[in-house]
Amino acid sequence: LGKGTGDVSAWLASHGLATAARLAQKIEVEAGWERAAEIVLGHALEAVCVEDLHQAATWLQGLEKGDVELFDVNAAAPAAPAHDGLVPLLDKVRSPWRLDALLGGIYVAEGLDQALNARGRLAPRESFITRDGIWIGNGWLRAVRDSDGQASVLIREQALQQSARQIAELEDRVAELQPQVEQ
Protein backbone atom coordinates (compact mmCIF):
# COMPACT_ATOMS: atom_id res chain seq x y z
CA LEU A 1 0.00 0.00 0.00
CA GLY A 2 2.89 2.34 -0.62
CA LYS A 3 4.04 2.31 3.00
CA GLY A 4 7.66 1.59 2.14
CA THR A 5 10.66 3.82 2.46
CA GLY A 6 11.73 6.63 0.21
CA ASP A 7 10.86 10.19 -0.64
CA VAL A 8 7.08 9.80 -0.32
CA SER A 9 7.34 8.01 3.03
CA ALA A 10 9.64 10.75 4.33
CA TRP A 11 7.27 13.41 3.05
CA LEU A 12 4.29 11.69 4.70
CA ALA A 13 6.21 11.40 7.98
CA SER A 14 7.19 15.06 7.90
CA HIS A 15 3.50 15.99 7.78
CA GLY A 16 2.27 13.51 10.37
CA LEU A 17 0.75 11.17 7.80
CA ALA A 18 3.11 8.18 8.13
CA THR A 19 0.52 6.17 10.05
CA ALA A 20 -2.52 7.51 8.20
CA ALA A 21 -4.79 4.79 6.87
CA ARG A 22 -4.72 3.86 3.22
CA LEU A 23 -8.07 3.61 1.45
CA ALA A 24 -7.73 -0.17 0.98
CA GLN A 25 -7.56 -0.55 4.76
CA LYS A 26 -10.88 1.19 5.27
CA ILE A 27 -13.10 -0.46 2.71
CA GLU A 28 -14.81 -3.82 2.62
CA VAL A 29 -15.96 -5.35 -0.62
CA GLU A 30 -18.70 -7.91 -0.97
CA ALA A 31 -17.21 -11.36 -1.54
CA GLY A 32 -16.70 -12.06 -5.22
CA TRP A 33 -16.52 -8.38 -6.22
CA GLU A 34 -13.00 -7.65 -4.95
CA ARG A 35 -11.40 -7.91 -8.39
CA ALA A 36 -13.95 -5.55 -9.92
CA ALA A 37 -13.53 -2.97 -7.16
CA GLU A 38 -9.76 -3.21 -7.35
CA ILE A 39 -9.69 -2.62 -11.10
CA VAL A 40 -11.92 0.43 -10.80
CA LEU A 41 -10.15 1.90 -7.77
CA GLY A 42 -6.66 1.10 -9.07
CA HIS A 43 -4.02 3.32 -7.46
CA ALA A 44 -6.67 4.98 -5.29
CA LEU A 45 -6.41 1.92 -3.03
CA GLU A 46 -3.03 3.29 -1.91
CA ALA A 47 -4.48 6.77 -1.29
CA VAL A 48 -3.55 8.28 2.05
CA CYS A 49 -6.72 9.17 3.92
CA VAL A 50 -6.62 12.79 5.12
CA GLU A 51 -9.01 14.95 7.14
CA ASP A 52 -8.23 18.17 5.23
CA LEU A 53 -7.37 17.80 1.56
CA HIS A 54 -6.87 21.55 1.15
CA GLN A 55 -4.20 21.60 3.88
CA ALA A 56 -2.50 18.43 2.57
CA ALA A 57 -2.45 19.88 -0.95
CA THR A 58 -0.47 22.88 0.28
CA TRP A 59 2.26 20.50 1.43
CA LEU A 60 2.76 19.09 -2.09
CA GLN A 61 5.40 21.67 -2.99
CA GLY A 62 7.68 19.85 -0.52
CA LEU A 63 7.29 16.55 -2.39
CA GLU A 64 10.13 16.65 -4.89
CA LYS A 65 10.04 13.05 -6.10
CA GLY A 66 7.50 10.21 -6.06
CA ASP A 67 3.79 9.65 -6.41
CA VAL A 68 1.20 10.23 -3.74
CA GLU A 69 -2.57 10.06 -3.83
CA LEU A 70 -4.70 11.64 -1.14
CA PHE A 71 -8.31 10.83 -0.28
CA ASP A 72 -10.41 13.41 1.54
CA VAL A 73 -12.42 11.53 4.16
CA ASN A 74 -14.69 14.56 4.60
CA ALA A 75 -15.55 15.03 0.93
CA ALA A 76 -19.22 15.57 0.34
CA ALA A 77 -19.54 14.23 -3.18
CA PRO A 78 -23.08 14.26 -4.50
CA ALA A 79 -24.69 10.86 -4.87
CA ALA A 80 -24.68 9.48 -8.39
CA PRO A 81 -28.11 9.37 -10.05
CA ALA A 82 -29.73 5.96 -9.93
CA HIS A 83 -30.90 3.92 -12.91
CA ASP A 84 -33.80 1.55 -12.48
CA GLY A 85 -32.58 -2.01 -12.44
CA LEU A 86 -28.86 -1.17 -12.51
CA VAL A 87 -26.87 -2.01 -9.39
CA PRO A 88 -24.10 0.49 -8.59
CA LEU A 89 -20.67 -0.80 -7.63
CA LEU A 90 -21.12 1.44 -4.56
CA ASP A 91 -23.63 -1.16 -3.29
CA LYS A 92 -20.83 -3.75 -3.20
CA VAL A 93 -18.34 -1.58 -1.28
CA ARG A 94 -18.62 -0.47 2.35
CA SER A 95 -16.59 2.35 3.82
CA PRO A 96 -16.84 4.83 6.67
CA TRP A 97 -16.69 7.56 4.01
CA ARG A 98 -18.53 8.51 0.82
CA LEU A 99 -16.94 6.93 -2.23
CA ASP A 100 -19.23 8.45 -4.86
CA ALA A 101 -16.38 10.52 -6.31
CA LEU A 102 -14.43 7.34 -7.04
CA LEU A 103 -17.19 4.84 -7.83
CA GLY A 104 -20.17 6.93 -8.91
CA GLY A 105 -21.63 6.03 -12.29
CA ILE A 106 -20.14 2.54 -12.32
CA TYR A 107 -22.61 -0.33 -12.29
CA VAL A 108 -22.10 -4.05 -11.84
CA ALA A 109 -22.86 -6.80 -14.32
CA GLU A 110 -22.54 -10.51 -13.65
CA GLY A 111 -20.87 -11.10 -16.99
CA LEU A 112 -19.72 -9.54 -20.23
CA ASP A 113 -22.92 -10.40 -22.14
CA GLN A 114 -25.07 -8.60 -19.59
CA ALA A 115 -22.81 -5.53 -19.72
CA LEU A 116 -22.70 -5.48 -23.53
CA ASN A 117 -26.46 -5.79 -23.80
CA ALA A 118 -27.19 -3.08 -21.22
CA ARG A 119 -24.58 -0.47 -22.12
CA GLY A 120 -27.09 1.39 -24.28
CA ARG A 121 -28.74 2.49 -21.01
CA LEU A 122 -25.57 4.24 -19.86
CA ALA A 123 -25.12 7.98 -19.86
CA PRO A 124 -21.76 9.52 -20.79
CA ARG A 125 -19.07 8.73 -18.18
CA GLU A 126 -21.02 5.73 -16.88
CA SER A 127 -19.81 2.17 -17.21
CA PHE A 128 -20.20 -1.44 -16.13
CA ILE A 129 -17.71 -3.62 -14.31
CA THR A 130 -18.18 -7.37 -14.38
CA ARG A 131 -17.54 -9.68 -11.45
CA ASP A 132 -14.39 -10.96 -13.19
CA GLY A 133 -13.08 -7.43 -13.80
CA ILE A 134 -14.00 -6.50 -17.36
CA TRP A 135 -14.77 -2.76 -17.38
CA ILE A 136 -16.93 -1.55 -20.24
CA GLY A 137 -18.57 1.69 -21.28
CA ASN A 138 -20.02 3.10 -24.47
CA GLY A 139 -17.24 2.76 -27.00
CA TRP A 140 -14.54 1.23 -24.77
CA LEU A 141 -13.61 -1.91 -22.86
CA ARG A 142 -10.78 -2.69 -20.46
CA ALA A 143 -9.72 -6.20 -19.46
CA VAL A 144 -6.93 -6.86 -16.97
CA ARG A 145 -5.58 -10.37 -16.65
CA ASP A 146 -2.98 -10.80 -13.94
CA SER A 147 -0.83 -13.91 -13.95
CA ASP A 148 -0.85 -13.96 -10.14
CA GLY A 149 -4.28 -14.73 -8.70
CA GLN A 150 -3.00 -13.75 -5.24
CA ALA A 151 -2.06 -10.24 -6.39
CA SER A 152 -5.29 -8.66 -5.17
CA VAL A 153 -4.58 -5.85 -2.72
CA LEU A 154 -8.14 -5.99 -1.37
CA ILE A 155 -8.11 -9.75 -0.79
CA ARG A 156 -4.73 -9.53 0.93
CA GLU A 157 -5.87 -6.59 3.06
CA GLN A 158 -9.03 -8.44 4.11
CA ALA A 159 -6.94 -11.52 4.96
CA LEU A 160 -4.58 -9.37 7.06
CA GLN A 161 -7.51 -7.81 8.91
CA GLN A 162 -9.02 -11.25 9.56
CA SER A 163 -5.65 -12.52 10.83
CA ALA A 164 -5.32 -9.48 13.13
CA ARG A 165 -8.78 -10.20 14.56
CA GLN A 166 -7.86 -13.85 15.11
CA ILE A 167 -4.60 -12.89 16.81
CA ALA A 168 -6.44 -10.50 19.12
CA GLU A 169 -8.98 -13.21 20.00
CA LEU A 170 -6.20 -15.71 20.70
CA GLU A 171 -4.27 -13.21 22.82
CA ASP A 172 -7.44 -12.59 24.85
CA ARG A 173 -7.88 -16.34 25.28
CA VAL A 174 -4.22 -16.72 26.41
CA ALA A 175 -4.70 -13.93 28.98
CA GLU A 176 -7.89 -15.63 30.11
CA LEU A 177 -6.14 -19.00 30.57
CA GLN A 178 -2.90 -17.64 32.09
CA PRO A 179 -4.20 -17.76 35.70
CA GLN A 180 -5.04 -21.45 35.26
CA VAL A 181 -1.52 -22.15 34.00
CA GLU A 182 -0.05 -20.36 36.99
CA GLN A 183 -2.26 -22.35 39.36
Side-chain angles (χ1 to χ4, degrees):
L1 295 179
K3 289 188 173 185
T5 58
D7 295 327
V8 173
S9 293
W11 179 83
L12 290 170
S14 71
H15 296 293
L17 298 173
T19 60
R22 299 305 197 268
L23 186 60
Q25 295 174 302
K26 294 295 185 177
I27 63 174
E28 291 180 33
V29 180
E30 184 178 308
W33 289 97
E34 297 93 348
R35 180 172 178 74
E38 189 163 334
I39 286 171
V40 170
L41 290 170
H43 290 288
L45 290 169
E46 296 181 21
V48 178
C49 299
V50 297
E51 295 283 332
D52 184 352
L53 184 64
H54 187 269
Q55 175 62 53
T58 65
W59 298 331
L60 287 176
Q61 62 199 26
L63 180 65
E64 295 178 13
K65 198 162 65 168
D67 297 335
V68 68
E69 187 161 346
L70 305 173
F71 177 77
D72 187 352
V73 300
N74 296 312
H83 285 288
D84 285 338
L86 297 183
V87 177
L89 181 57
L90 280 164
D91 286 1
K92 306 290 184 188
V93 181
R94 288 167 300 289
S95 169
W97 312 301
R98 303 254 339 217
L99 298 176
D100 300 73
L102 297 173
L103 299 177
I106 302 172
Y107 300 94
V108 298
E110 286 296 327
L112 182 57
D113 287 342
Q114 180 187 5
L116 286 169
N117 292 331
R119 68 191 162 123
R121 297 176 62 193
L122 296 174
R125 297 193 185 107
E126 291 182 332
S127 57
F128 283 105
I129 186 80
T130 65
R131 185 181 290 270
D132 63 346
I134 298 174
W135 198 1
I136 184 170
N138 282 316
W140 61 272
L141 179 144
R142 180 172 184 229
V144 177
R145 299 291 188 235
D146 293 329
S147 60
D148 181 5
Q150 301 299 313
S152 172
V153 170
L154 290 173
I155 291 173
R156 284 194 318 260
E157 184 59 38
Q158 289 176 354
L160 286 170
Q161 290 175 8
Q162 176 64 26
S163 294
R165 284 190 294 271
Q166 289 173 335
I167 289 169
E169 289 170 8
L170 291 170
E171 287 173 342
D172 289 346
R173 183 73 176 134
V174 167
E176 183 181 296
L177 294 173
Q178 191 64 38
Q180 291 177 15
V181 169
E182 290 172 5
Q183 251 180 357

